[in-house]
Amino acid sequence: MSPLDLVVAVPLCCMVAALMLGRAARWLILLAAPLMAGLALWLALLPPDAAYLVGQWELPLGILLRADGVARLMILTTALVIGAVGLHALAEPPEKPGHAAQAETFWPLVYLLWAGANAGFLTTDLFNLYVTLEMVSLAAVALAAMGSLAAALRYFMIALLGSLAYLLGVALIVARYDTVDVTLLAQLAEPDLATLMALGLMTAGLLIKAALFPMHGWLPPAHAAAPAPASALLSAIAVKLGFVILVRLWFEAFPAITGPAALQVLGGLGAAAVLYGSVQAMRQDRLKALVAYSTVAQVGYLFLAFPLVAGAIDPGDAWAGMTLQAVAHMLAKAAMFLAAGLMLKAAAGDRIADLGGLAQAMPLTVTAFGLAAVSLMGLPPSGGFTAKFLLLTAAIEQGAYLYAGVLILGGLLAAVYLFGALAACFAPATTPRAPVTSGLRTAAPLALAGLAIVMGFGGTALVELSAIAAPWAEPAAILPEPAP
């Protein structure tokens, strides 16, 4: 078997095993985390033309799994994030009687989310992408319900609307072209009414999934109310799949149809998201709500990059900046949610004003929060700095000074609300602190935040990795013979 199918099959097998093992399923992460990290690293080191046709079917009936640079980076980062979050959750004891049953449910959902995300990052089949969206959405809604049933129900209804819009678009594409494979659509697609309607419907559905402003309303309540490990997974992974599929549609399947005006609309929404999310984060007095609105802002950078990629003579820097922004956000935001969960338990409250004295009581956890904040603000030498610097360079080279201004202003606004939260940790404690400390629970956010910083030292290698099989580099991926 190839690592392209193993990174999907292994977490699916772990999901089944977790359902059968019951309470003992929590220990499965000790096997799954290193195994998936090894498979993801193997995948990242494959030749540039690595691809795999599932089963005996040729295109257009077959399903192509293709390991381009985006897929390699996202799958490797997903393995690191879920591995760290899983180890953090493994060390977290249930505090109430009902929490034991909730923890038992948590593990199959993690593996379902893992399998769906990996499959979505690899596949080029639009209907198969719908299946992966539903896998991730099902797991994400159930994870959100662990914190708030009302927020999860709202998430479910909005996610269902997004899924239906996307599926209707796929149906129009099938009727028009008799194929749903991205690599074939790139050669066949024409700017007629059916194709434009299909692309519009799929884009709208995916923007809901990615929580881009103004379709972000489900995200803050769902992410803020969920337990810290669930919030970390929702923010780091669940919203990224919609973004990656949009990249496939706009830059690979329909590049001749997505004109400059449409790209500017996405860029404008991304810029608005950066500003709106940042201002809303500044207004929050609860820590997890602040971190959740920060996700709204950080997602905006991903879509602000769309017109910069399309408008560049050499799109390599903008493409790398967009991809590395997604990776840096996954690492930093997962670290921040895990650290915030520990800080709020120690503070016995959820308000920023309750955080006084935590810098002295639990310095490693506050350090993890601070390192994650450095990456989200885009300060050197972090991965967030590398990503935003590449996007800023592309914006200035193209004369897109509005986007350049948003990139700079977004970093300043992030500094305001994140430094505000950090400053509260150094304030004197109003009550004695009982720090939440344990090896894995403290190490997990610290490791993820450290990786977000270390990313900045691997900029050249990561840029080269992101460019593997990029849309402008070579024609579509080399199609392999069907697997025997």
Side-chain angles (χ1 to χ4, degrees):
M1 296 182 74
S2 157
L4 282 81
D5 51 357
L6 284 174
V7 294
V8 179
V10 169
L12 282 178
C13 292
C14 289
M15 182 193 71
V16 175
L19 290 170
M20 297 173 63
L21 290 172
R23 293 186 180 182
R26 61 201 305 262
W27 301 106
L28 192 59
I29 192 66
L30 295 176
L31 173 64
L35 178 58
M36 290 298 294
L39 288 173
L41 184 59
W42 181 15
L43 181 72
L45 298 176
L46 288 178
D49 60 350
Y52 179 81
L53 275 170
V54 178
Q56 299 290 331
W57 298 98
E58 297 275 7
L59 292 177
L61 295 178
I63 296 175
L64 175 66
L65 302 179
R66 186 190 57 188
D68 63 358
V70 173
R72 296 175 196 227
L73 281 170
M74 298 299 285
I75 288 173
L76 180 58
T77 310
T78 297
L80 296 172
V81 168
I82 296 185
V85 171
L87 294 175
H88 175 95
L90 177 65
E92 186 171 5
E95 298 173 358
K96 298 179 181 178
H99 284 193
Q102 190 181 84
E104 185 177 334
T105 308
F106 172 78
W107 295 104
L109 295 174
V110 169
Y111 296 120
L112 177 63
L113 179 75
W114 205 342
N118 283 353
F121 297 146
L122 286 172
T123 187
T124 65
D125 182 280
L126 295 183
F127 182 77
N128 202 42
L129 285 169
Y130 167 74
V131 174
T132 66
L133 274 173
E134 291 304 282
M135 291 169 66
V136 170
S137 295
L138 178 63
V141 168
L143 289 170
M146 293 180 177
S148 168
L149 289 175
L153 181 60
R154 183 180 184 182
Y155 181 10
F156 171 75
M157 297 302 294
I158 296 176
L160 181 62
L161 177 63
S163 297
L164 291 175
Y166 178 83
L167 186 59
L168 181 56
V170 173
L172 288 172
I173 291 296
V174 172
R176 175 66 179 84
Y177 297 107
D178 291 326
T179 183
V180 287
D181 183 79
V182 166
T183 58
L184 296 181
L185 288 171
Q187 306 168 27
L188 301 173
E190 299 176 356
D192 54 28
L193 180 60
T195 306
L196 292 173
M197 287 182 61
L199 181 59
L201 285 166
M202 290 188 289
T203 297
L206 293 169
L207 291 180
I208 291 174
K209 299 283 189 179
L212 179 65
F213 173 86
M215 290 163 280
H216 68 286
W218 60 268
L219 186 150
H223 289 202
S231 298
L233 295 176
L234 293 173
S235 185
I237 297 170
V239 299
K240 299 302 185 301
L241 181 57
F243 157 71
V244 171
I245 299 175
L246 277 166
V247 169
R248 304 284 186 229
L249 290 177
W250 283 63
F251 294 113
E252 297 181 29
F254 305 108
I257 297 173
T258 54
L263 286 159
Q264 292 297 335
V265 170
L266 277 187
L269 290 176
V274 172
L275 301 178
Y276 173 85
S278 299
V279 170
Q280 289 299 318
M282 293 169 60
R283 297 178 59 193
Q284 303 306 309
D285 61 356
R286 300 176 186 273
L287 182 61
K288 287 192 70 178
L290 179 152
V291 180
Y293 272 107
S294 171
T295 297
V296 175
Q298 296 294 320
V299 166
Y301 291 109
L302 301 177
F303 291 94
L304 181 152
F306 271 53
L308 299 180
V309 172
I313 298 175
D314 179 7
D317 284 349
W319 180 269
M322 178 180 66
T323 307
L324 297 187
Q325 168 64 19
V327 171
H329 179 255
M330 290 170 73
L331 294 170
K333 191 49 64 72
M336 186 168 282
F337 267 118
L338 293 181
L342 295 177
M343 291 159 61
L344 294 180
K345 287 180 180 178
D350 62 351
R351 297 185 180 275
I352 296 172
D354 299 329
L355 302 179
L358 290 185
Q360 293 76 29
M362 42 198 317
L364 291 180
T365 300
V366 174
T367 298
F369 189 96
L371 291 175
V374 166
S375 183
L376 293 178
M377 288 184 279
L379 297 179
S382 65
F385 168 77
T386 302
K388 292 179 175 66
F389 178 79
L390 290 170
L391 292 176
L392 182 62
T393 301
I396 293 174
E397 287 178 350
Q398 296 175 40
Y401 297 114
L402 177 61
Y403 293 143
V406 170
L407 285 162
I408 295 172
L409 182 58
L412 295 174
L413 293 175
V416 171
Y417 62 77
L418 291 173
F419 275 134
L422 282 169
C425 297
F426 288 87
T430 55
T431 58
R433 296 301 183 199
V436 180
T437 57
S438 72
L440 287 177
R441 296 174 77 188
T442 303
L446 193 59
L448 289 173
L451 286 172
I453 299 298
V454 171
M455 266 187 68
F457 296 97
T460 302
L462 294 174
V463 168
E464 292 175 354
L465 184 58
S466 71
I468 292 177
W472 70 88
E474 294 288 343
I478 300 173
L479 304 184
E481 294 296 324

